[in-house]
Amino acid sequence: MFLEIKNIRKSFGVGDSKVEVLKGIDLGIEQGEFCVLLGPSGSGKSTLLNIIGGIDHADEGEIIIGQEKMSDMNEKKLTLYRRKHLGYIFQMYNLIPNLTVRENIEVGAYLSDKPLDLDEIIKVLGLEEHQDKLPNQLSGGQQQRTSIGRAIIKNPDILLCDEPTGALDYKTSKEILKLIETVNQKYGNTVVMVTHNTAIKDMADVVVRLRDGVIRDITRNEVKVKAEDLEW
Amino acid sequence: MVRSPLRKRVFREIKDDLGKYLTIFILLVAMIGLASGYFVAIGSMIKGYDESFQLYNIENGNFTTRYEIRRVQKKEIEKTGNTIYPIFYKDINIDNNRTMRFMPNRTEVNLACLMDGQLPTQIGEIAIDQTFANNNGYVIGDEIHTEDNTYQIVGMVSLSDYSALFSNNKDSMFDAILFGVGVVTEESFEQEKITPTYRYAWKYPSDPKTEKDEKEMAEDFAKVIRENVVIDDFTPRYLNQAIMFAGDDMGRDSAMIHLFLYIMLLIMAFVFALTTSDTIFREASVIGTLRASGYTKMELVTHYLTAPFLVTIIACVVGNVLGYTWLKNVMINLYYTSYSLPHYPTLFNTQAFLETTLSPIIIMFVISFIVLIRRLSISPLKFLRRDLSKKKQRKSLKLSHRLRFFTRYRLRVILQNIPNYIVLLVGLLLANILLMFGLGMPETINHYQETIREDLLAEKQYILTVPASIEADSHALDNLVTMMAFENAVQTKTEGAEAFSAYSVETYNAVRQEDVLVYGIKKDSQYIKQAIDYGEVYVSTACAKKFKAKVGDVIQVKEHYENKIYDFTITGIYPYDSAVTIFLNQRYMNEVFDLGEEYFSGYFSNTEIKDIDEKYIGSVIDAESLTKVSRQLNISFGGFMEALRIATFVIFFVLMYLLTKIIIEKNAQSISMTKILGYSNKEIQKLYIRATTIVVVVEMLLCMPISTFINQWMFDSYLSERMTGYLPFYLPPWIYFRMMAMGLIAYAIVSIFEIIKIYHIPKTDALKNVE
């Protein structure tokens, strides 16, 4: 198992206001799999993603990625780990406002010893015409594509996507999903995507439903639906 | 090694926020330039001054004789191995009541440094001192007139033995306005029909190595001179103010400049740190994403340090270039209005370089680095959530609901920006201290001049001088004759003239060793409006204030070069602000100092005493001589004070602009949201601009008493300790209004910028980056 999540517990607050958001999560994801974490607001899916990404800490439990235990890592090692193995895509694109599209993607490339070809990525993302534009000259979809470029250019082992289509319209959302699908297939990255859009589950290998901090069920799609065929 | 692509945004960030970076840059350049200019100028001038002793063969001392020395006397004196050179002069009244000391050009000792033009080569030509010329508007080609002759100025010189224009070594201050020196040809010198003063300079075969040697050598030589000639004056170089004063004075301001530089650097470093903090706040989600993607804290610290670092480095380079070129000359000109200094080479000053390059860079770096490390040490997740507080959320301060909503809102804005307002307070305080000094100093000097004129003990005080020859222990017959002649010569028939005793002593155990004039006054004096009985001790108000003495305190004085100490218990304070003096009953004073029952050494008189030979009059204390110090201070400080006033306005403006800008930018989203909710721009101004306006007004008001206190303290403990006499710091009330006005004008201009900024905040800002 490439990504092992063992008995993850996490709570916020203290005393009476203590809220347990993850109540013992166990999950395994194989390399190259596309995993969707589904669930309503407050189910703990973003918290789980952040713990997998090493930007939040579990109170209990263990995350093992490719033989490496995250709990053994100090802050410095975690940073190095994220640098080498993880790519992040957020709902808000968080691009650097005074860097062009190309330069924003280079920000990701810088982190890798063997980044993917920048021009190829720009082409795959359909950003050739926009590569010299600043983020404020782009549409939401173009900005999200840029942030995907920034995440995947370093060819991360795991691509973590937190509601990547949450701020986009139907058409643009499908374009973004198609891109993530392409990236997953072309570069073989493991993808973990948090969403509350149930339609997206059909394009995943593994679907994990969370509610109130526990896994309700894990399903595997024998036949995946292509992103362009998704409807919602 | 691949360079971070983030570097590409550094210049864009500077360009995008040009207003901020440019203002900081300009202020840094100004500070560094002024400091660098000052240090380089002072370093170069001091070096030039020090070298002038060798270069222009400056005397080891001089003495004045009653008559020209005969060849045989010269031979006798020079048996000591020392060489003597005639440096005769004639003090001649010229245009506008100025006095010009004429002297033939020197060829062996105390050489003149030609600053411009040429030395006189024929009769009717003169080269005058450049400082006197500058202060009186003389240029080459102008004419000066004596009673009988006209001279054309052909050159500007700096005389190595008159770097400070003291006409009399006993004067408390030089006077580069009313007194000047000039060199002429021998023929020109001869044509002026007054008797010259027979002054001779001497040089030792080799310069004394220590101050003690110098003193001993001078004392030994004095004995030899007195054995051979009748002298009126004897001044070894180390006591010659015309030569030594400039050297002692230059560089005294270094401590102030250092303090100013470092305080300003610290303020600017904190401003930089605050603006960088603000940038981090604005870019929180980007930083969160970068950190989540694997960017290390140090990579981001390096990135956010780059722009301030770059601006500081460029400011250091530009500041130093300006310092070494233009500002050095500005600084030098300030000194040249006071001192007549020879040419000097501009020297690279290692200390100046370190203090104006390394220090700013290190201070900026360290403070920005600490702030950034602290700011960026929170988790990526917190950045993503824009939750940048390291501490747990404190409970918000409860504000009474009785307060109007707008008042509460403004209070919240103020509470949110307390760190910014603290930095603003420190900056405003510094600016106000400087401004108060800049406005108060000329007022203090003018007020002092007025006080002196109103406060004169008599229109004129004649201090008699016993010829130096009498002090010799040989040639008793000569001395006896001279003494008898002296006693006869110093009697006056001038109506109203009142004899007094005066004895110069120095303070003992005081913070600063200072000359104090002790007056022995007749009990029924018509000039001192206080009957002083035998044994009573009155001190002048200036003396009481300077030494913080009150009735009942003991003031200790000692005689110059002697060890005997006199304790005087103060019985009263006499209202006299012009000089640091002690008033005793004349009989009592003569007894205390063992001067003899009939001793007196001067006259008070409201009319000019004409029947005493000038050579027996050491000095005349009148309004003009007493205001010499203040006149010179006015000249020395004039340009500097103007520069200070401009500098403080710039500091006001820059600090207010930068810190207000941060506050508006920090609240851009909230401002945008209030716009969406339907608040008008005017209402938004009331919320955000007025909050800062209130703080600025309160801080300005707060600065007034603090600045007054600090200036008073600085003046008392620093200037008063350094200066002879007492110069009370005087602040007329209008100064406070002017300070407030300057601060508020600067703020009004800043507000206009900020109002425009508020107008331009788009409503869409509120919709961005909302989690």
PDB file of all heavy atoms in Angstrom, chain B residues 604-632:
ATOM      1  N   PHE B 604      32.961  99.342  36.486  1.00  0.00           N
ATOM      2  CA  PHE B 604      31.640  99.421  35.871  1.00  0.00           C
ATOM      3  C   PHE B 604      31.500 100.856  35.406  1.00  0.00           C
ATOM      4  O   PHE B 604      31.871 101.790  36.139  1.00  0.00           O
ATOM      5  CB  PHE B 604      30.521  99.187  36.900  1.00  0.00           C
ATOM      6  CG  PHE B 604      30.464  97.785  37.435  1.00  0.00           C
ATOM      7  CD1 PHE B 604      30.561  97.549  38.815  1.00  0.00           C
ATOM      8  CD2 PHE B 604      30.277  96.701  36.590  1.00  0.00           C
ATOM      9  CE1 PHE B 604      30.476  96.270  39.315  1.00  0.00           C
ATOM     10  CE2 PHE B 604      30.196  95.414  37.100  1.00  0.00           C
ATOM     11  CZ  PHE B 604      30.299  95.189  38.466  1.00  0.00           C
ATOM     12  N   SER B 605      30.935 101.035  34.234  1.00  0.00           N
ATOM     13  CA  SER B 605      30.702 102.404  33.783  1.00  0.00           C
ATOM     14  C   SER B 605      29.608 102.410  32.716  1.00  0.00           C
ATOM     15  O   SER B 605      29.557 101.505  31.881  1.00  0.00           O
ATOM     16  CB  SER B 605      31.987 102.990  33.208  1.00  0.00           C
ATOM     17  OG  SER B 605      31.725 104.284  32.714  1.00  0.00           O
ATOM     18  N   ASN B 606      28.774 103.433  32.781  1.00  0.00           N
ATOM     19  CA  ASN B 606      27.755 103.540  31.743  1.00  0.00           C
ATOM     20  C   ASN B 606      28.230 104.412  30.588  1.00  0.00           C
ATOM     21  O   ASN B 606      27.536 104.542  29.591  1.00  0.00           O
ATOM     22  CB  ASN B 606      26.447 104.097  32.321  1.00  0.00           C
ATOM     23  CG  ASN B 606      25.722 103.030  33.142  1.00  0.00           C
ATOM     24  OD1 ASN B 606      25.927 101.825  32.919  1.00  0.00           O
ATOM     25  ND2 ASN B 606      24.913 103.446  34.106  1.00  0.00           N
ATOM     26  N   THR B 607      29.402 105.008  30.767  1.00  0.00           N
ATOM     27  CA  THR B 607      29.986 105.781  29.660  1.00  0.00           C
ATOM     28  C   THR B 607      31.363 105.222  29.359  1.00  0.00           C
ATOM     29  O   THR B 607      31.964 104.515  30.178  1.00  0.00           O
ATOM     30  CB  THR B 607      30.118 107.273  30.039  1.00  0.00           C
ATOM     31  OG1 THR B 607      30.798 107.347  31.293  1.00  0.00           O
ATOM     32  CG2 THR B 607      28.769 107.952  30.154  1.00  0.00           C
ATOM     33  N   GLU B 608      31.838 105.545  28.185  1.00  0.00           N
ATOM     34  CA  GLU B 608      33.122 104.993  27.766  1.00  0.00           C
ATOM     35  C   GLU B 608      34.273 105.605  28.576  1.00  0.00           C
ATOM     36  O   GLU B 608      34.292 106.803  28.815  1.00  0.00           O
ATOM     37  CB  GLU B 608      33.337 105.283  26.280  1.00  0.00           C
ATOM     38  CG  GLU B 608      34.468 104.464  25.694  1.00  0.00           C
ATOM     39  CD  GLU B 608      34.687 104.765  24.212  1.00  0.00           C
ATOM     40  OE1 GLU B 608      33.809 105.402  23.598  1.00  0.00           O
ATOM     41  OE2 GLU B 608      35.746 104.373  23.695  1.00  0.00           O
ATOM     42  N   ILE B 609      35.163 104.763  29.022  1.00  0.00           N
ATOM     43  CA  ILE B 609      36.338 105.259  29.745  1.00  0.00           C
ATOM     44  C   ILE B 609      37.429 105.522  28.710  1.00  0.00           C
ATOM     45  O   ILE B 609      37.815 104.615  27.973  1.00  0.00           O
ATOM     46  CB  ILE B 609      36.814 104.247  30.806  1.00  0.00           C
ATOM     47  CG1 ILE B 609      35.746 104.104  31.898  1.00  0.00           C
ATOM     48  CG2 ILE B 609      38.163 104.653  31.383  1.00  0.00           C
ATOM     49  CD1 ILE B 609      36.074 103.117  32.989  1.00  0.00           C
ATOM     50  N   LYS B 610      37.846 106.769  28.654  1.00  0.00           N
ATOM     51  CA  LYS B 610      38.813 107.122  27.608  1.00  0.00           C
ATOM     52  C   LYS B 610      40.192 107.427  28.163  1.00  0.00           C
ATOM     53  O   LYS B 610      41.153 107.562  27.404  1.00  0.00           O
ATOM     54  CB  LYS B 610      38.302 108.341  26.829  1.00  0.00           C
ATOM     55  CG  LYS B 610      37.054 108.028  26.002  1.00  0.00           C
ATOM     56  CD  LYS B 610      36.538 109.280  25.333  1.00  0.00           C
ATOM     57  CE  LYS B 610      35.312 108.924  24.480  1.00  0.00           C
ATOM     58  NZ  LYS B 610      34.595 110.127  24.061  1.00  0.00           N
ATOM     59  N   ASP B 611      40.268 107.568  29.502  1.00  0.00           N
ATOM     60  CA  ASP B 611      41.544 107.999  30.054  1.00  0.00           C
ATOM     61  C   ASP B 611      42.405 106.850  30.590  1.00  0.00           C
ATOM     62  O   ASP B 611      43.305 107.052  31.394  1.00  0.00           O
ATOM     63  CB  ASP B 611      41.322 109.074  31.139  1.00  0.00           C
ATOM     64  CG  ASP B 611      40.329 108.603  32.209  1.00  0.00           C
ATOM     65  OD1 ASP B 611      39.794 107.481  32.050  1.00  0.00           O
ATOM     66  OD2 ASP B 611      40.089 109.335  33.187  1.00  0.00           O
ATOM     67  N   ILE B 612      42.103 105.653  30.163  1.00  0.00           N
ATOM     68  CA  ILE B 612      42.982 104.518  30.519  1.00  0.00           C
ATOM     69  C   ILE B 612      43.540 103.943  29.222  1.00  0.00           C
ATOM     70  O   ILE B 612      42.781 103.701  28.274  1.00  0.00           O
ATOM     71  CB  ILE B 612      42.215 103.423  31.297  1.00  0.00           C
ATOM     72  CG1 ILE B 612      41.704 103.979  32.628  1.00  0.00           C
ATOM     73  CG2 ILE B 612      43.099 102.198  31.540  1.00  0.00           C
ATOM     74  CD1 ILE B 612      40.895 103.014  33.454  1.00  0.00           C
ATOM     75  N   ASP B 613      44.853 103.734  29.213  1.00  0.00           N
ATOM     76  CA  ASP B 613      45.495 103.204  28.008  1.00  0.00           C
ATOM     77  C   ASP B 613      44.926 101.819  27.681  1.00  0.00           C
ATOM     78  O   ASP B 613      44.739 100.991  28.565  1.00  0.00           O
ATOM     79  CB  ASP B 613      47.012 103.101  28.262  1.00  0.00           C
ATOM     80  CG  ASP B 613      47.776 102.853  26.965  1.00  0.00           C
ATOM     81  OD1 ASP B 613      47.260 102.099  26.116  1.00  0.00           O
ATOM     82  OD2 ASP B 613      48.875 103.429  26.812  1.00  0.00           O
ATOM     83  N   GLU B 614      44.675 101.595  26.389  1.00  0.00           N
ATOM     84  CA  GLU B 614      44.058 100.329  25.937  1.00  0.00           C
ATOM     85  C   GLU B 614      44.860  99.098  26.355  1.00  0.00           C
ATOM     86  O   GLU B 614      44.297  98.036  26.565  1.00  0.00           O
ATOM     87  CB  GLU B 614      43.907 100.336  24.423  1.00  0.00           C
ATOM     88  CG  GLU B 614      42.617 100.981  23.984  1.00  0.00           C
ATOM     89  CD  GLU B 614      42.381 100.863  22.501  1.00  0.00           C
ATOM     90  OE1 GLU B 614      43.019 100.013  21.855  1.00  0.00           O
ATOM     91  OE2 GLU B 614      41.549 101.637  22.003  1.00  0.00           O
ATOM     92  N   LYS B 615      46.172  99.288  26.457  1.00  0.00           N
ATOM     93  CA  LYS B 615      46.984  98.097  26.765  1.00  0.00           C
ATOM     94  C   LYS B 615      46.752  97.597  28.197  1.00  0.00           C
ATOM     95  O   LYS B 615      47.095  96.471  28.537  1.00  0.00           O
ATOM     96  CB  LYS B 615      48.467  98.379  26.528  1.00  0.00           C
ATOM     97  CG  LYS B 615      49.114  99.329  27.481  1.00  0.00           C
ATOM     98  CD  LYS B 615      50.505  99.643  27.004  1.00  0.00           C
ATOM     99  CE  LYS B 615      51.104 100.764  27.840  1.00  0.00           C
ATOM    100  NZ  LYS B 615      52.245 101.376  27.191  1.00  0.00           N
ATOM    101  N   TYR B 616      46.146  98.449  29.041  1.00  0.00           N
ATOM    102  CA  TYR B 616      45.842  98.000  30.397  1.00  0.00           C
ATOM    103  C   TYR B 616      44.420  97.443  30.501  1.00  0.00           C
ATOM    104  O   TYR B 616      43.988  97.033  31.563  1.00  0.00           O
ATOM    105  CB  TYR B 616      46.016  99.159  31.395  1.00  0.00           C
ATOM    106  CG  TYR B 616      47.436  99.666  31.458  1.00  0.00           C
ATOM    107  CD1 TYR B 616      47.752 100.979  31.113  1.00  0.00           C
ATOM    108  CD2 TYR B 616      48.467  98.813  31.859  1.00  0.00           C
ATOM    109  CE1 TYR B 616      49.054 101.431  31.149  1.00  0.00           C
ATOM    110  CE2 TYR B 616      49.781  99.265  31.895  1.00  0.00           C
ATOM    111  CZ  TYR B 616      50.070 100.571  31.543  1.00  0.00           C
ATOM    112  OH  TYR B 616      51.352 100.996  31.572  1.00  0.00           O
ATOM    113  N   ILE B 617      43.734  97.486  29.396  1.00  0.00           N
ATOM    114  CA  ILE B 617      42.358  96.968  29.422  1.00  0.00           C
ATOM    115  C   ILE B 617      42.347  95.589  28.766  1.00  0.00           C
ATOM    116  O   ILE B 617      42.582  95.456  27.562  1.00  0.00           O
ATOM    117  CB  ILE B 617      41.389  97.938  28.712  1.00  0.00           C
ATOM    118  CG1 ILE B 617      41.342  99.254  29.491  1.00  0.00           C
ATOM    119  CG2 ILE B 617      39.987  97.324  28.591  1.00  0.00           C
ATOM    120  CD1 ILE B 617      40.612 100.369  28.791  1.00  0.00           C
ATOM    121  N   GLY B 618      42.182  94.586  29.590  1.00  0.00           N
ATOM    122  CA  GLY B 618      42.211  93.204  29.088  1.00  0.00           C
ATOM    123  C   GLY B 618      41.015  92.945  28.206  1.00  0.00           C
ATOM    124  O   GLY B 618      41.121  92.415  27.103  1.00  0.00           O
ATOM    125  N   SER B 619      39.867  93.322  28.683  1.00  0.00           N
ATOM    126  CA  SER B 619      38.669  93.129  27.873  1.00  0.00           C
ATOM    127  C   SER B 619      37.587  94.092  28.339  1.00  0.00           C
ATOM    128  O   SER B 619      37.630  94.605  29.460  1.00  0.00           O
ATOM    129  CB  SER B 619      38.174  91.683  27.991  1.00  0.00           C
ATOM    130  OG  SER B 619      37.935  91.370  29.334  1.00  0.00           O
ATOM    131  N   VAL B 620      36.675  94.348  27.440  1.00  0.00           N
ATOM    132  CA  VAL B 620      35.538  95.199  27.770  1.00  0.00           C
ATOM    133  C   VAL B 620      34.289  94.335  27.637  1.00  0.00           C
ATOM    134  O   VAL B 620      34.050  93.743  26.588  1.00  0.00           O
ATOM    135  CB  VAL B 620      35.432  96.407  26.809  1.00  0.00           C
ATOM    136  CG1 VAL B 620      34.241  97.286  27.192  1.00  0.00           C
ATOM    137  CG2 VAL B 620      36.714  97.200  26.822  1.00  0.00           C
ATOM    138  N   ILE B 621      33.575  94.225  28.743  1.00  0.00           N
ATOM    139  CA  ILE B 621      32.348  93.421  28.687  1.00  0.00           C
ATOM    140  C   ILE B 621      31.189  94.381  28.450  1.00  0.00           C
ATOM    141  O   ILE B 621      30.883  95.228  29.292  1.00  0.00           O
ATOM    142  CB  ILE B 621      32.137  92.622  29.992  1.00  0.00           C
ATOM    143  CG1 ILE B 621      33.331  91.684  30.233  1.00  0.00           C
ATOM    144  CG2 ILE B 621      30.835  91.835  29.937  1.00  0.00           C
ATOM    145  CD1 ILE B 621      33.304  90.974  31.587  1.00  0.00           C
ATOM    146  N   ASP B 622      30.616  94.281  27.271  1.00  0.00           N
ATOM    147  CA  ASP B 622      29.432  95.084  26.970  1.00  0.00           C
ATOM    148  C   ASP B 622      28.446  94.198  26.221  1.00  0.00           C
ATOM    149  O   ASP B 622      28.694  92.990  26.050  1.00  0.00           O
ATOM    150  CB  ASP B 622      29.798  96.327  26.163  1.00  0.00           C
ATOM    151  CG  ASP B 622      30.553  95.988  24.889  1.00  0.00           C
ATOM    152  OD1 ASP B 622      30.626  94.778  24.567  1.00  0.00           O
ATOM    153  OD2 ASP B 622      31.067  96.892  24.232  1.00  0.00           O
ATOM    154  N   ALA B 623      27.341  94.759  25.797  1.00  0.00           N
ATOM    155  CA  ALA B 623      26.312  93.945  25.133  1.00  0.00           C
ATOM    156  C   ALA B 623      26.901  93.213  23.938  1.00  0.00           C
ATOM    157  O   ALA B 623      26.619  92.046  23.704  1.00  0.00           O
ATOM    158  CB  ALA B 623      25.161  94.839  24.703  1.00  0.00           C
ATOM    159  N   GLU B 624      27.767  93.920  23.221  1.00  0.00           N
ATOM    160  CA  GLU B 624      28.335  93.327  22.014  1.00  0.00           C
ATOM    161  C   GLU B 624      29.204  92.120  22.334  1.00  0.00           C
ATOM    162  O   GLU B 624      29.106  91.075  21.698  1.00  0.00           O
ATOM    163  CB  GLU B 624      29.143  94.376  21.271  1.00  0.00           C
ATOM    164  CG  GLU B 624      29.413  93.981  19.841  1.00  0.00           C
ATOM    165  CD  GLU B 624      29.866  95.174  19.047  1.00  0.00           C
ATOM    166  OE1 GLU B 624      29.008  95.917  18.552  1.00  0.00           O
ATOM    167  OE2 GLU B 624      31.088  95.354  18.951  1.00  0.00           O
ATOM    168  N   SER B 625      30.050  92.280  23.348  1.00  0.00           N
ATOM    169  CA  SER B 625      30.931  91.151  23.664  1.00  0.00           C
ATOM    170  C   SER B 625      30.148  90.005  24.277  1.00  0.00           C
ATOM    171  O   SER B 625      30.432  88.837  24.025  1.00  0.00           O
ATOM    172  CB  SER B 625      32.043  91.598  24.606  1.00  0.00           C
ATOM    173  OG  SER B 625      31.513  91.891  25.877  1.00  0.00           O
ATOM    174  N   LEU B 626      29.126  90.342  25.060  1.00  0.00           N
ATOM    175  CA  LEU B 626      28.340  89.266  25.679  1.00  0.00           C
ATOM    176  C   LEU B 626      27.488  88.512  24.665  1.00  0.00           C
ATOM    177  O   LEU B 626      27.176  87.340  24.845  1.00  0.00           O
ATOM    178  CB  LEU B 626      27.445  89.832  26.792  1.00  0.00           C
ATOM    179  CG  LEU B 626      28.154  90.186  28.106  1.00  0.00           C
ATOM    180  CD1 LEU B 626      27.229  90.969  29.004  1.00  0.00           C
ATOM    181  CD2 LEU B 626      28.654  88.945  28.825  1.00  0.00           C
ATOM    182  N   THR B 627      27.106  89.203  23.593  1.00  0.00           N
ATOM    183  CA  THR B 627      26.273  88.527  22.594  1.00  0.00           C
ATOM    184  C   THR B 627      27.111  87.865  21.505  1.00  0.00           C
ATOM    185  O   THR B 627      26.586  87.318  20.559  1.00  0.00           O
ATOM    186  CB  THR B 627      25.283  89.516  21.944  1.00  0.00           C
ATOM    187  OG1 THR B 627      26.020  90.629  21.461  1.00  0.00           O
ATOM    188  CG2 THR B 627      24.221  89.968  22.910  1.00  0.00           C
ATOM    189  N   LYS B 628      28.423  87.921  21.680  1.00  0.00           N
ATOM    190  CA  LYS B 628      29.315  87.305  20.694  1.00  0.00           C
ATOM    191  C   LYS B 628      29.008  85.814  20.548  1.00  0.00           C
ATOM    192  O   LYS B 628      28.926  85.277  19.458  1.00  0.00           O
ATOM    193  CB  LYS B 628      30.760  87.506  21.154  1.00  0.00           C
ATOM    194  CG  LYS B 628      31.775  87.486  20.051  1.00  0.00           C
ATOM    195  CD  LYS B 628      33.158  87.694  20.615  1.00  0.00           C
ATOM    196  CE  LYS B 628      33.575  89.151  20.529  1.00  0.00           C
ATOM    197  NZ  LYS B 628      34.975  89.346  20.938  1.00  0.00           N
ATOM    198  N   VAL B 629      28.818  85.173  21.679  1.00  0.00           N
ATOM    199  CA  VAL B 629      28.549  83.730  21.670  1.00  0.00           C
ATOM    200  C   VAL B 629      27.281  83.458  20.870  1.00  0.00           C
ATOM    201  O   VAL B 629      27.252  82.628  19.965  1.00  0.00           O
ATOM    202  CB  VAL B 629      28.351  83.195  23.104  1.00  0.00           C
ATOM    203  CG1 VAL B 629      28.046  81.707  23.087  1.00  0.00           C
ATOM    204  CG2 VAL B 629      29.557  83.471  23.946  1.00  0.00           C
ATOM    205  N   SER B 630      26.213  84.225  21.209  1.00  0.00           N
ATOM    206  CA  SER B 630      24.938  83.960  20.557  1.00  0.00           C
ATOM    207  C   SER B 630      24.986  84.335  19.082  1.00  0.00           C
ATOM    208  O   SER B 630      24.402  83.654  18.246  1.00  0.00           O
ATOM    209  CB  SER B 630      23.813  84.709  21.263  1.00  0.00           C
ATOM    210  OG  SER B 630      24.192  86.023  21.504  1.00  0.00           O
ATOM    211  N   ARG B 631      25.732  85.390  18.764  1.00  0.00           N
ATOM    212  CA  ARG B 631      25.842  85.782  17.356  1.00  0.00           C
ATOM    213  C   ARG B 631      26.512  84.669  16.563  1.00  0.00           C
ATOM    214  O   ARG B 631      26.071  84.278  15.489  1.00  0.00           O
ATOM    215  CB  ARG B 631      26.666  87.067  17.271  1.00  0.00           C
ATOM    216  CG  ARG B 631      26.134  88.023  16.261  1.00  0.00           C
ATOM    217  CD  ARG B 631      26.763  89.389  16.279  1.00  0.00           C
ATOM    218  NE  ARG B 631      28.108  89.474  16.768  1.00  0.00           N
ATOM    219  CZ  ARG B 631      28.468  90.160  17.852  1.00  0.00           C
ATOM    220  NH1 ARG B 631      27.550  90.786  18.557  1.00  0.00           N
ATOM    221  NH2 ARG B 631      29.720  90.232  18.234  1.00  0.00           N
ATOM    222  N   GLN B 632      27.589  84.146  17.132  1.00  0.00           N
ATOM    223  CA  GLN B 632      28.312  83.079  16.451  1.00  0.00           C
ATOM    224  C   GLN B 632      27.456  81.816  16.354  1.00  0.00           C
ATOM    225  O   GLN B 632      27.450  81.139  15.344  1.00  0.00           O
ATOM    226  CB  GLN B 632      29.631  82.793  17.187  1.00  0.00           C
ATOM    227  CG  GLN B 632      30.557  81.850  16.450  1.00  0.00           C
ATOM    228  CD  GLN B 632      30.852  82.310  15.029  1.00  0.00           C
ATOM    229  OE1 GLN B 632      31.174  83.455  14.788  1.00  0.00           O
ATOM    230  NE2 GLN B 632      30.683  81.417  14.064  1.00  0.00           N
TER     231      GLN B 632
END
